[in-house]
Amino acid sequence: MLTPQWLDQLRARTTLSALIGRSTRLQKAGREFKACCPFHNEKSPSFTVNDEKGFYHCFGCGAHGDAIRWMTDHQGLSFMDAVKELAAEAGMDVPAPDPRAAKAAEKRDTLYDVMAAAQAWFVQNLTAPGGAAAKAYLATRGFDAHTLQRFGFGFAPEGRQAMKEALGRFPEDMLVEAGLRIEVENRDPYDRFRGRLMLPIEDARGRVIAFGGRILAKDKTDAPKYLNSPDTPLFDKGRTLYNLHRAAPAARQSGRMVVVEGYMDVIALAAAGFGECVAPLGTALTEQQIEMLWRHVETPILCFDGDAAGQRAAMRAVTRALPLLRPAHSLRIVRLPEGLDPDDLIRQRGARAMGDLLGEARSLVEVLWEAERDAQPLITPEDKAGLKARLMAHVDAIQNPDIASLYRRELQDRYSEFAFPKRESRWQQQDRPAFRPGQRGNQKGRWTPQPESSPESLERLRKAIGGGARDALSAAVLAGLIQWPAQIRRHAEALARTPGLDPRFGLLLDCCDTNEALESTRLATILVENGLEIPGTAEYSGLRFGFLNSGTGADQAAEDLAQAIDLLVERPVLDAALAQATARFESELSDEAFADQQRLLKRKLEFDSRLRQMATRQAASS
């Protein structure tokens, strides 16, 4: 006789993936295997095999079973032939058949029959006098008779043995295996659902595979408000979406599928005309459920409550979805007004308000950015750097390289705009006179604002410093070295290392190699003899350094000239670094390159300001 214990041993000795893998190409996916379903035609894999749980399941057509069921349904063998073949491979002897037991096995009810009988009993209880409390609760929700019948509301009465008495034709072990009864050591089994409003949970074919129950007694605080069936051979809560068999046809009509937090939200929305709604079952949205949604629509909408728990649920879903993203497949997210669930929103504002909210669903990348931006205070540079690190960690989780690159660009642009906001130019502040330290008051005791530099003066400065006749600074230093030739040897080494200098500097430095005393007239003659012009005031008219004035003393002139040469030596290094940072920013468009460019631009402006102030100060002091 084939006892349940013997059949369980046979299943345990059979590696299901190896058995199915003989005729179906399986691909490893974490702790499971996946493939295109061998029971129906499909392009993307929805068929999974779990060796730990010992069953296969297709989320497309609902095919489900163990090793024996595979041999009967896929290989076309009879029950006994399937058992014999598996037993031979497992090295087990098949017990001698008992004709009466074999006949009983053929008539044995399946777990689907158990669940269907339980559902019929729950519905019957709702109409009985004991279901008054459940009917009173349903009346507060405003569900009409059609909704109650369509979704199969029922009632589980109090009593630990009520189901066993009602479904006595089924063996105790089947009721336990179906998740309807709880078996504990050294105690009699008892009913799982007691004193609860019941809802059937169906598979993609509409067959009852599990139940959800809501407690009705308000004073009962030692039990969960909502209770779902445990995982069974029929039911895997991480791979099931409530109402999918009804929502899928509706989604084909509307072009969208909406995911809400619970099955009561699904029913409220369906009653208001939104039939394309589903819900996970007591868990955050799983990777398998996301894949199931994508089989029906490319961009499902996740609708979460507006409170902190809803925000956390949204981020969990975003985190789960990122590694799975592929071209044209993503998520959109809606947050309900705080304090309202879908039922409340529809009651207070109407179904149209719900439709408008779904039409304003935001993209995944926008929700990700806002959630991380608002997660922590962003006061210090370290806080902002932490924001960037979190964003890039999310990007690294995306497996599709094209999508990862686009997300990196999008999030970096948002981060740069936030962390490095554009500052108002000083030229935009001309009509904002402001007090500055050192200003003097007018005769009426009011502060007189000092005039700001104009854009025209800035343009003249640019021409004087960096453009035009190759620049007034070089010409001024050349003229200063000719006027004070004793300073050439002092600065020869620094000037020789500076790239891109006026060729006239080379002739002056060559003179340092001679033992002759350097004289201004001799240096001027050398320049002329080599076809070069002597620096004149026209070249450096924008910069009137003190060392160019004949009345300046030798010591002061040497100090002023040294400062000007320091600027001359620093400038090409700064220009080269700025050019390199600019080129890097234009090629990478990253916030690091942008920050480097902005830092060097700031140094360049500071350099220009120092040069102008030095020339003005030294000329005035002379």
Side-chain angles (χ1 to χ4, degrees):
M1 178 178 180
L2 302 180
T3 64
Q5 293 78 11
W6 188 89
L7 291 173
D8 287 342
Q9 186 178 5
L10 175 63
R11 296 184 185 99
R13 290 193 182 185
T14 303
T15 302
L16 188 59
S17 61
L19 176 66
I20 297 176
R22 297 172 187 171
S23 57
T24 302
R25 184 178 179 181
L26 299 178
Q27 181 179 356
K28 185 70 173 175
R31 300 169 69 176
E32 298 180 332
F33 296 87
K34 64 180 181 180
C36 289
C37 180
F39 294 99
H40 77 289
N41 294 325
E42 63 176 1
K43 295 181 179 179
S44 59
S46 61
F47 181 82
T48 61
V49 179
N50 191 314
D51 284 330
E52 294 180 4
K53 296 182 179 180
F55 62 76
Y56 60 85
H57 184 80
C58 176
F59 295 97
C61 68
H64 183 97
D66 56 13
I68 299 173
R69 187 68 176 266
W70 171 262
M71 298 296 286
T72 58
D73 289 4
H74 187 265
Q75 302 297 325
L77 302 179
S78 67
F79 177 81
M80 284 306 301
D81 288 341
V83 168
K84 291 177 181 179
E85 185 169 332
L86 292 175
E89 294 183 4
M92 297 175 62
D93 294 328
V94 179
D98 184 336
R100 290 174 299 178
K103 186 175 181 180
E106 292 177 359
K107 296 182 179 180
R108 184 176 299 136
D109 294 305
T110 68
L111 291 184
Y112 289 110
D113 298 320
V114 175
M115 302 304 284
Q119 168 61 11
W121 181 63
F122 288 141
V123 172
Q124 178 183 349
N125 292 334
L126 183 63
T127 61
K135 288 187 290 186
Y137 170 78
L138 289 172
T140 65
R141 299 300 298 249
F143 298 144
D144 58 25
H146 173 70
T147 300
L148 298 182
Q149 186 274 332
R150 181 186 182 197
F151 286 92
F153 280 98
F155 174 66
E158 293 285 358
R160 299 170 67 89
Q161 305 300 328
M163 175 168 285
K164 179 181 179 181
E165 295 174 2
L167 304 182
R169 66 187 180 92
F170 296 104
E172 180 78 67
D173 59 344
M174 290 191 71
L175 297 177
V176 172
E177 187 177 16
L180 300 173
R181 301 262 291 167
I182 298 176
E183 188 176 42
V184 294
E185 190 175 357
N186 300 324
R187 293 179 59 186
D188 291 334
Y190 58 92
D191 293 352
R192 181 179 300 275
F193 300 103
R194 305 183 306 279
R196 291 179 179 270
L197 177 72
M198 299 299 295
L199 268 174
I201 299 170
E202 292 126 324
D203 62 11
R205 294 183 179 181
R207 297 175 297 183
V208 178
I209 57 174
F211 290 96
R214 188 194 190 280
I215 200 166
L216 293 172
K218 296 182 179 179
D219 57 346
K220 192 174 182 61
T221 59
D222 58 345
K225 183 177 180 180
Y226 288 95
L227 177 66
N228 291 332
S229 294
D231 283 357
T232 69
L234 301 183
F235 175 59
D236 183 341
K237 60 178 174 291
R239 299 175 178 274
T240 304
L241 285 168
Y242 177 75
N243 197 48
L244 181 62
H245 68 295
R246 300 185 191 94
R252 287 192 289 270
Q253 297 294 324
S254 67
R256 71 183 178 193
M257 187 169 285
V258 181
V259 183
V260 291
E261 293 193 44
Y263 35 66
M264 296 303 287
D265 295 328
V266 169
I267 298 169
L269 286 167
F274 300 94
E276 65 273 24
C277 298
V278 297
L281 294 157
T283 64
L285 201 65
T286 65
E287 292 86 348
Q288 293 82 7
Q289 289 168 334
I290 293 172
E291 292 286 358
M292 292 169 64
L293 291 167
W294 281 343
R295 294 189 191 113
H296 300 281
V297 296
E298 292 183 340
T299 313
I301 300 173
L302 310 188
C303 183
F304 295 99
D305 293 346
D307 55 12
Q311 177 73 358
R312 291 193 295 271
M315 273 307 296
R316 285 195 296 269
V318 168
T319 303
R320 292 276 178 86
L322 286 174
L324 309 176
L325 294 178
R326 55 179 182 263
H329 290 75
S330 185
L331 302 175
R332 288 185 292 162
I333 296 177
V334 165
R335 286 189 63 187
L336 295 169
E338 189 167 359
L340 299 180
D341 61 21
D343 191 20
D344 296 328
L345 180 65
I346 292 171
R347 288 187 182 189
Q348 295 181 18
R349 306 182 187 180
R352 183 173 181 178
M354 188 69 203
D356 292 342
L357 197 64
L358 294 175
E360 298 170 357
R362 296 181 299 161
S363 66
L364 190 150
V365 68
E366 183 177 0
V367 172
L368 175 61
W369 159 252
E370 290 187 0
E372 290 296 0
R373 182 198 62 192
D374 300 337
Q376 300 178 16
L378 299 174
I379 301 173
T380 67
E382 293 82 0
D383 295 336
K384 295 178 181 178
L387 168 62
K388 181 190 173 185
R390 295 194 302 273
L391 293 172
M392 293 303 103
H394 288 303
V395 172
D396 291 340
I398 301 174
Q399 297 182 4
N400 185 284
D402 293 334
I403 296 177
S405 177
L406 292 169
Y407 263 68
R408 181 175 288 105
R409 173 70 176 273
E410 174 74 15
L411 291 173
Q412 284 180 343
D413 287 348
R414 290 174 182 261
Y415 175 79
S416 297
E417 184 177 354
F418 170 78
F420 307 105
K422 293 182 179 180
R423 297 179 179 177
E424 191 176 26
S425 169
R426 63 183 298 184
W427 313 118
Q428 297 173 325
Q429 302 175 358
Q430 293 183 69
D431 57 346
R432 300 184 186 180
F435 166 72
R436 291 177 299 178
Q439 290 178 328
R440 294 181 296 176
N442 59 19
Q443 294 179 351
K444 296 183 180 181
R446 298 180 180 176
W447 292 105
T448 303
Q450 298 295 316
E452 296 283 356
S453 300
S454 67
E456 291 77 11
S457 64
L458 178 63
E459 184 62 25
R460 287 196 300 270
L461 177 62
R462 288 185 179 134
K463 290 181 179 179
I465 295 174
R470 184 57 191 170
D471 72 59
L473 178 58
S474 293
V477 171
L478 279 168
L481 291 175
I482 292 173
Q483 187 170 336
W484 305 97
Q487 299 299 315
I488 296 178
R489 286 192 174 93
R490 174 184 174 184
H491 300 288
E493 184 176 353
L495 292 170
R497 292 198 306 266
T498 303
L501 286 181
D502 190 303
R504 288 175 287 187
F505 281 99
L507 288 176
L508 297 185
L509 296 179
D510 289 342
C511 296
C512 295
D513 297 334
T514 67
N515 295 324
E516 300 177 3
L518 299 178
E519 296 178 354
S520 298
T521 54
R522 176 57 181 158
L523 293 176
T525 301
I526 293 174
L527 290 176
V528 174
E529 290 176 348
N530 285 273
L532 299 175
E533 296 181 357
I534 302 171
T537 56
E539 287 188 73
Y540 52 82
S541 59
L543 299 173
R544 301 297 298 172
F545 285 102
F547 57 78
L548 297 175
N549 295 331
S550 58
T552 303
D555 292 340
Q556 184 64 46
E559 181 180 348
D560 294 346
L561 184 58
Q563 294 182 36
I565 292 175
D566 288 343
L567 290 175
L568 183 67
V569 171
E570 178 184 353
R571 185 181 57 190
V573 177
L574 178 58
D575 289 343
L578 178 57
Q580 184 177 5
T582 300
R584 179 188 172 201
F585 174 66
E586 292 175 350
S587 62
E588 297 181 1
L589 292 176
S590 66
D591 54 315
E592 293 97 336
F594 177 80
D596 287 343
Q597 185 200 44
Q598 294 302 303
R599 176 177 56 80
L600 290 168
L601 279 173
K602 183 178 179 182
R603 283 185 56 188
K604 185 67 165 62
L605 292 174
E606 291 173 351
F607 177 94
D608 297 344
S609 178
R610 284 162 50 201
L611 177 57
R612 182 178 60 183
Q613 292 173 5
M614 184 185 302
T616 304
R617 183 180 65 250
Q618 293 178 359
S621 63
S622 301

